[in-house]
Amino acid sequence: MRWSSCAVMLAALGVGGLPVAATAATTLTVGKAAATASVMLPVNLGVDFGIFTKHGLDVKVADFSGGSKLFQAMTAGSVDIGIATGTGMAFTVKGAPILAVCEHEAQMTPSGIGVPWNSPVHSVDDLKGKRVGISSPGSFTDWLASEVARQRGWGPEGLTKISIGNGMASGVAAFRTDTVDAAIIPTAELLEMEEKHEGRLLASVAPFAGNMAAGTIFATKQVMADHPDAVRAFLAGWLETIDYMRKHKDETVKAMSALTGFSPKVMAKEYDINMPSFVRDCKFDAESLANLKRSFVELKLLDTAPDMSTLYTDAFMPK
């Protein structure tokens, strides 16, 4: 017989002096839209550092290749919590039974504009008329490339957008084969390319995107209804993890390097770029919501701009 069952029986019989087993942890399956994106790694670190366990949670992490696949899994009920970008709110409009419950990073600091190592391009202004790699038409990187051209006053033809797919291998191949003059890809990948003299980081996309809820946590309506305290505990554990990361850089960089396969030197640079952007309270930023509302139509994710207040909730934020 399990010890917890014995303890209950002994308590019922009034037998004292024996320890009672702790309540079993609540299991949550947490999905990430990208395996190595630094903005999503705190969930892995919260598990590794034992922080979620302190909050009574048994967190199981699952990696996905993109937000679409993550939200499909959440719709199917196989994932309780999802970590992605704020553009995932459009899936709620399309009927996915999810709501955003935390904005933990407003700016798009995890993404950058990169160029080949020996490129003559040394400033964003040098990109006018150049070929810029994006993951795919209609993607967030597609929108970012358009924003660069729009904000520089180059017009819709100011850049030629080339689809190169996702992943560092795609970016390296596009640079090596002279397919593109630049590409919008994660900063960690660009920093890794710098180590190998294959590419270099030209600029962050954050100034062009503005606040965009770059890091957003979603929960299924089912888990919010069935286990509201677990959702609150997850957000509390997440914020505690961020605080721990701020205070323990060396340990965090080492753990991130083990998770991503990038060198500690690269992850230390990535840490310095992204760590200041993590927020401390999960609150949804007004600028992020406004920019997302506009981007949904411009990205052709939605035909009309939605009522953003229906796409998120602050009911589970830690007090």
Side-chain angles (χ1 to χ4, degrees), residues 167-239:
M168 188 170 72
S170 299
V172 170
F175 287 169
R176 284 178 178 172
T177 58
D178 193 33
T179 302
V180 298
D181 302 298
I184 299 175
I185 51 182
T187 54
E189 295 180 6
L190 288 167
L191 293 171
E192 181 74 6
M193 289 185 197
E194 286 186 357
E195 290 285 295
K196 300 176 180 179
H197 291 187
E198 294 173 327
R200 52 186 168 83
L201 175 63
L202 180 69
S204 169
V205 302
F208 302 100
N211 289 2
M212 286 290 296
T216 303
I217 299 174
F218 297 83
T220 65
K221 293 180 179 179
Q222 188 70 49
V223 76
M224 287 187 282
D226 294 347
H227 302 287
D229 289 341
V231 178
R232 292 187 183 93
F234 180 80
L235 296 186
W238 174 278
L239 292 178

Side-chain angles (χ1 to χ4, degrees), residues 5 26 52 63 86 119 144 156 178 180 184 203 221 228 239 276 295 302 308-309 311 314:
S5 298
T26 300
F52 288 120
D63 294 327
S119 170
L144 284 170
D178 193 33
V180 298
I184 299 175
K221 293 180 179 179
L239 292 178
S295 74
L302 301 173
M308 297 300 292
S309 67
L311 307 182
D314 58 6

Side-chain angles (χ1 to χ4, degrees), residues 1-16 18-23:
M1 182 178 292
R2 293 170 59 90
W3 163 248
S4 57
S5 298
C6 292
V8 171
M9 292 175 64
L10 290 169
L13 293 171
V15 179
L18 292 174
V20 178
T23 303

Side-chain angles (χ1 to χ4, degrees), residues 82-300:
I83 305 172
T85 62
T87 52
M89 293 186 195
F91 286 86
T92 302
V93 181
K94 295 179 178 181
I98 61 173
L99 286 177
V101 294
C102 171
E103 178 182 340
H104 58 84
E105 186 165 0
Q107 293 191 326
M108 294 300 299
T109 53
S111 295
I113 303 170
V115 296
W117 178 254
N118 294 318
S119 170
V121 173
H122 292 283
S123 73
V124 173
D125 288 333
D126 293 338
L127 291 176
K128 184 178 181 180
K130 297 291 195 283
R131 302 161 298 165
V132 176
I134 60 172
S135 58
S136 61
S139 66
F140 190 64
T141 53
D142 185 355
W143 182 83
L144 284 170
S146 296
E147 278 294 285
V148 172
R150 182 185 70 81
Q151 293 183 31
R152 279 294 193 268
W154 298 340
E157 306 302 322
L159 294 173
T160 299
K161 292 180 282 189
I162 307 292
S163 298
I164 62 173
N166 292 305
M168 188 170 72
S170 299
V172 170
F175 287 169
R176 284 178 178 172
T177 58
D178 193 33
T179 302
V180 298
D181 302 298
I184 299 175
I185 51 182
T187 54
E189 295 180 6
L190 288 167
L191 293 171
E192 181 74 6
M193 289 185 197
E194 286 186 357
E195 290 285 295
K196 300 176 180 179
H197 291 187
E198 294 173 327
R200 52 186 168 83
L201 175 63
L202 180 69
S204 169
V205 302
F208 302 100
N211 289 2
M212 286 290 296
T216 303
I217 299 174
F218 297 83
T220 65
K221 293 180 179 179
Q222 188 70 49
V223 76
M224 287 187 282
D226 294 347
H227 302 287
D229 289 341
V231 178
R232 292 187 183 93
F234 180 80
L235 296 186
W238 174 278
L239 292 178
E240 184 176 337
T241 300
I242 298 299
D243 188 53
Y244 187 91
M245 292 168 65
R246 283 194 180 96
K247 297 174 181 177
H248 300 83
K249 177 179 177 179
D250 290 345
E251 184 180 357
T252 296
V253 166
K254 182 178 179 180
M256 291 171 65
S257 177
L259 287 165
T260 63
F262 296 140
S263 71
K265 183 178 180 180
V266 165
M267 295 318 298
K269 292 179 181 178
E270 178 79 349
Y271 177 100
D272 291 339
I273 290 172
N274 290 321
M275 201 66 234
S277 298
F278 282 105
V279 301
R280 299 175 183 269
D281 56 14
C282 271
K283 290 183 179 179
F284 289 91
D285 175 76
E287 182 184 338
S288 289
L289 296 172
N291 284 334
L292 284 172
K293 185 174 183 176
R294 176 170 63 91
S295 74
F296 290 153
V297 177
E298 294 177 353
L299 280 167
K300 296 181 173 58

Side-chain angles (χ1 to χ4, degrees), residues 70-87:
L70 167 62
F71 295 124
Q72 287 172 8
M74 295 183 75
T75 299
S78 56
V79 171
D80 303 305
I81 303 288
I83 305 172
T85 62
T87 52

